[in-house]
Amino acid sequence: MMMDFADKLQGYRKQRGMSQENLAEVIGVSRQAVSKWESGQSYPEMDKMIALSEFFGVSMDHMVKEVSGNQEAVLPLDAGNFHSDVTAKYHYEYKSKRTLFGIPLVHINVGRGIYVAKGVLAIGNIAVGGLSVGILSLGGLCFGALAGGMMSIAGLALGFLLAIGGLAAGIIAIGGLAVGIFAIGGLSIGMFSLGGCAIASRIAIGGYASGHIAIGDVAKGAYTILVEQDHFSSIQAEQVRGLINQEYPRLWKPVAEGIIAIFE
């Protein structure tokens, strides 16, 4: 059995772990063109044939010359130069056929450069979706270096409900620097703050605490409770409860009980 150009092209592509679409983008043609080459319906023009031979690291003669089936079409071992080219141009994209309100259920779009993924589940350099994962991610539940959405977990996290990250901002913010209504972090700023340095408009708890009610090793506020010997257990829960009931009698009970539980 003879191995022709179509068989070899398909073999080389699969050994690279590439889809027809990936190869088409590298060579600068459509996916349909690659499909026709591999099915034997057509052959590449000379410039595309040169690009293919250079990409796979083989001679044009080898690409077009028929070889017997027992001679496997394998990539040369000395293909370091071409490996770097693959890396530089690598791109992978998958988009599910199933959609929800016209949006793909899954969209993966990654590579070197700027690639945007939009889907219910989106994974890309830039990802936008219900669940998004990317260097920059936007949407419902977001993971990434920079994330903004309903709930975000990232180096820089902006979340409407919950944000967790080195720098976090949201209704509930947890991070090295946390800014929110409820802030927990090394430096926490909010209405209710807990951290090494806690600054709050209402209740602050931390090593350094500044707020209307301030509880800490160093405390500044209208009402202060100092921690003895760095042990918050030295503070009575009922003392905190009494202050909260006195100053914020309408405070939502789960919030009040959560703060009091720190000292129980």
Side-chain angles (χ1 to χ4, degrees), residues 53-74:
S53 65
E54 290 181 346
F55 179 74
F56 291 121
V58 297
S59 67
M60 284 183 58
D61 182 63
H62 178 83
M63 289 290 294
V64 300
K65 184 179 179 181
E66 292 187 345
V67 295
S68 59
N70 61 357
Q71 292 181 330
E72 297 181 0
V74 296

Side-chain angles (χ1 to χ4, degrees), residues 32-231:
Q32 289 78 5
V34 175
S35 177
K36 288 182 178 180
W37 296 344
E38 292 187 355
S39 64
Q41 297 179 46
S42 66
Y43 287 89
E45 296 178 356
M46 181 60 67
D47 61 329
K48 304 304 181 186
M49 185 68 77
I50 293 172
L52 287 167
S53 65
E54 290 181 346
F55 179 74
F56 291 121
V58 297
S59 67
M60 284 183 58
D61 182 63
H62 178 83
M63 289 290 294
V64 300
K65 184 179 179 181
E66 292 187 345
V67 295
S68 59
N70 61 357
Q71 292 181 330
E72 297 181 0
V74 296
L75 294 176
L77 295 177
D78 185 18
N81 292 335
F82 301 99
H83 175 76
S84 62
D85 188 54
V86 173
T87 302
K89 297 182 179 180
Y90 174 75
H91 172 232
Y92 172 79
E93 182 173 13
Y94 168 78
K95 186 181 293 186
S96 66
K97 294 181 179 179
R98 291 190 175 184
T99 62
L100 180 64
F101 302 115
I103 302 173
L105 291 180
V106 179
H107 188 191
I108 302 172
N109 197 8
V110 295
R112 291 195 60 173
I114 299 176
Y115 295 100
V116 180
K118 296 180 180 180
V120 176
L121 169 60
I123 301 174
N125 298 42
I126 299 174
V128 182
L131 171 58
S132 56
V133 181
I135 297 173
L136 170 61
S137 59
L138 305 169
L141 176 57
C142 306
F143 301 86
L146 172 60
M150 293 294 289
M151 294 184 287
S152 301
I153 301 174
L156 173 57
L158 306 174
F160 179 73
L161 293 178
L162 172 66
I164 301 174
L167 172 59
I171 291 178
I172 301 174
I174 303 172
L177 171 58
V179 180
I181 294 176
F182 303 96
I184 302 172
L187 171 58
S188 56
I189 303 171
M191 187 176 291
F192 303 93
S193 299
L194 172 64
C197 178
I199 301 171
S201 61
R202 293 193 176 185
I203 301 173
I205 302 170
Y208 171 85
S210 176
H212 184 74
I213 296 176
I215 304 170
D217 297 309
V218 178
K220 293 184 179 181
Y223 297 90
T224 61
I225 301 176
L226 294 176
V227 175
E228 296 178 3
Q229 299 179 348
D230 297 327
H231 293 297

